[in-house]
Amino acid sequence: MQKSLSERDQAVIWHPYTQMQTAPAPIGIVKGEGALLTDEHGKTYIDATSSWWVNIHGHAHPHITKRLAEQAAVLHHAIFAGYTHEPAVSLAEQLLPVLPGAQARVFYSDNGSTAVEVALKMTIQYWQNKGTPRRKLLAFHDAYHGDTFGAMSVSARSVFTRAFDDYLFEVTFLDLPTAENLPALLSQIDDIAADTGAFIFEPLVLGSGGMIMYDIQAFDTLLAHCRSKGILLIADEVMTGFGRTGTNFAMEQLGTPPDMITLSKGLTGGTMAMGVTTCTEAIYEAFLSNDKLKTLFHGHSYTANPFTCAAALASLELFLDPACAQNRRRIAARHQAFGETLRQHPRVKNVRQTGTILAFEVNTGEADSYVNNLADFLHRFFREKRVMLRPLGNTLYILPPYVITDEQLTTVYDCILDMLEEYGKR
């Protein structure tokens, strides 16, 4: 008998964020269309988390598919050191004008973590090239910026980093700003400002830390204070970019512009792996020199791969279409209404929303955390209901593709209410 895709997988694959000894067999996916994914047995699943937040226009979108096919007939790949090509140049030309702040240069990489690595290396070498080294970095408690070592270093010490904590460089972590703690945070920054090179942050929403949403006004004041001290501002919009928080980019809701932006996930519409780090002209100019040691010595074999650039161009065109913004407003309105329902539920707490992101905690009587025991129950329940919701411990969130229909959203909402009812019977 021929083995299933799931069975074959279990013989050869090691999955991310998965305890392979106890995890259930993976579901074999063979097809995607819109907000739906189909498994090898013909069952369909609503992708309510955009397959790890990457898919913004729906699976197998025909516009992106067409652009990839056209690119396949022209150029698959070319070294990007000393050479260039049309998709990379066009993407940079069209992306920079829509980004917040005076972003002037694009550096291509492979994913969100590498986009962050590039920003950190740019920061450290920027200050060295200027002859005034600044050795400290700022980040938020509960932050998550990726799984490479630099990205882990500026992330909260947590289950994601525990095995590697002794290998990470020192970072100063700040509490999330509120009206009450803001004076203390500003004073904390004053004490180390002269030796602080940059502040890296997830604007408005800390994603993997638990979809934590925080005060915009206090945050803007904090950013402005850092700017006044010469501290570079790195906006990690890997998750929040491309419409997730309501505006095209989260930093549009703030008055203090970033010096650097990191992008990935929605950048290619969930079709190809790609990272981008952008920076201002002032940062770029600090690397211009007759001294070759001032070169940014960083790169990837697949830097600016033409396929990924073509996918990102097609995705950007779809994103800037007014229909996309209309869909985002529709989803946000539906989330707001469902959020009111959740607020009345006795087993729910801390309901919160930013744009197309709706999140809450299931009240378990235990500490809220990524390793909360409820996670296994939630995984099993939603798999059986054929709704793709991947909880962060006892934190549940909905972050769907913008093409999800009202009917599909209703199914997701009803499934969550069914889960809460079932959990109450345990």
Side-chain angles (χ1 to χ4, degrees):
M1 179 182 295
Q2 185 176 2
K3 289 185 177 181
S4 69
L5 181 60
S6 178
E7 290 169 333
R8 289 165 52 207
D9 172 287
Q10 289 181 289
V12 293
I13 300 295
W14 188 346
H15 286 269
Y17 303 107
T18 301
Q19 177 43 258
M20 300 299 292
Q21 180 164 297
T22 58
I27 295 169
I29 298 298
V30 297
K31 181 183 177 182
E33 183 177 3
L36 298 178
L37 290 167
T38 303
D39 73 10
E40 58 189 317
H41 306 294
K43 297 177 181 178
T44 58
Y45 299 76
I46 299 175
D47 187 356
T49 54
S50 302
S51 288
W52 260 343
W53 323 341
V54 301
N55 193 289
I56 59 178
H57 305 303
H59 296 278
H61 195 286
H63 181 65
I64 301 177
T65 301
K66 179 174 179 289
R67 288 299 188 85
L68 286 172
E70 292 170 350
Q71 186 59 47
V74 178
L75 178 66
H76 288 194
H77 188 60
I79 185 174
F80 207 63
Y83 298 85
T84 191
H85 51 76
E86 179 63 33
V89 176
S90 292
L91 178 57
E93 288 173 339
Q94 295 180 44
L95 181 62
L96 288 171
V98 302
L99 293 177
Q103 302 301 300
R105 299 283 170 167
V106 168
F107 194 101
Y108 291 111
S109 61
D110 295 339
N111 56 63
S113 295
T114 56
V116 168
E117 294 286 328
V118 170
L120 297 177
K121 291 174 79 170
M122 281 182 179
T123 294
I124 293 166
Q125 193 172 346
Y126 168 82
W127 291 109
Q128 289 178 352
N129 284 0
K130 288 177 68 68
T132 54
R134 293 190 177 198
R135 305 189 183 281
K136 295 184 182 297
L137 294 168
L138 294 176
F140 279 137
H141 288 297
D142 296 317
Y144 172 85
H145 294 286
D147 290 335
T148 50
F149 273 84
M152 282 196 296
S153 293
V154 293
S155 299
R157 304 300 179 258
S158 67
V159 296
F160 298 111
T161 68
R162 189 160 299 159
F164 316 105
D165 284 352
D166 291 344
Y167 299 88
L168 306 181
F169 55 75
E170 184 180 352
V171 172
T172 299
F173 290 99
L174 303 175
D175 291 333
L176 288 175
T178 65
E180 292 72 28
N181 71 7
L182 187 58
L185 291 179
L186 301 186
S187 177
Q188 183 181 357
I189 290 169
D190 286 343
D191 291 340
I192 59 173
D195 196 32
T196 299
F199 175 25
I200 184 169
F201 49 85
E202 300 163 86
L204 307 187
V205 184
L206 305 190
S208 294
M211 293 296 168
I212 302 170
M213 302 173 190
Y214 57 98
D215 187 285
I216 294 179
Q217 282 190 320
F219 179 45
D220 207 10
T221 301
L222 184 68
L223 293 182
H225 190 71
C226 289
R227 160 84 17 94
S228 73
K229 300 296 180 179
I231 298 170
L232 298 178
L233 304 177
I234 305 172
D236 181 353
E237 294 239 26
V238 167
M239 189 274 284
T240 59
F242 298 101
R244 289 301 186 188
T245 65
T247 49
N248 286 352
F249 298 91
M251 290 301 294
E252 293 175 20
Q253 301 180 45
L254 298 152
T256 308
D259 297 288
M260 285 178 264
I261 299 174
T262 61
L263 300 169
S264 187
K265 293 195 181 292
L267 176 62
T268 66
T271 57
M272 307 282 282
M274 188 181 206
V276 155
T277 306
T278 67
C279 69
T280 62
E281 194 69 17
I283 292 174
Y284 172 74
E285 288 178 352
F287 291 79
L288 303 180
S289 174
N290 290 324
D291 181 356
K292 285 186 170 56
L293 293 179
K294 291 192 173 183
T295 302
L296 179 63
F297 288 107
H298 187 96
H300 302 265
S301 300
Y302 281 92
T303 293
N305 174 261
F307 277 118
T308 59
C309 292
L313 275 164
S315 178
L316 185 60
E317 290 168 356
L318 292 170
F319 177 70
L320 296 176
D321 188 309
C324 182
Q326 183 177 351
N327 272 333
R328 301 198 311 266
R329 290 191 294 270
R330 173 180 58 85
I331 294 167
R334 292 294 310 277
H335 278 358
Q336 185 175 17
F338 182 58
E340 291 304 316
T341 299
L342 288 174
R343 287 185 178 91
Q344 309 306 314
H345 202 289
R347 285 182 283 279
V348 170
K349 61 181 180 179
N350 193 21
V351 179
R352 55 205 183 272
Q353 178 190 358
T354 298
T356 66
I357 308 168
L358 177 66
F360 63 93
E361 274 74 49
V362 180
N363 195 348
T364 65
E366 303 175 26
D368 300 332
S369 78
Y370 189 83
V371 294
N372 187 288
N373 290 325
L374 182 65
D376 290 340
F377 165 75
L378 295 178
H379 279 295
R380 288 194 305 270
F381 183 90
F382 291 119
R383 277 170 58 118
E384 291 172 2
K385 296 291 185 178
R386 303 211 302 267
V387 171
M388 284 187 170
L389 286 171
R390 183 177 173 84
L392 299 164
N394 63 313
T395 298
L396 197 59
Y397 66 91
I398 312 170
L399 200 156
Y402 303 144
V403 296
I404 194 169
T405 66
D406 284 342
E407 181 181 11
Q408 289 164 345
L409 276 173
T410 297
T411 299
V412 174
Y413 298 154
D414 288 346
C415 186
I416 289 173
L417 294 176
D418 289 345
M419 176 276 296
L420 293 168
E421 184 70 22
E422 184 71 22
Y423 176 64
K425 297 175 182 178
R426 297 177 73 208

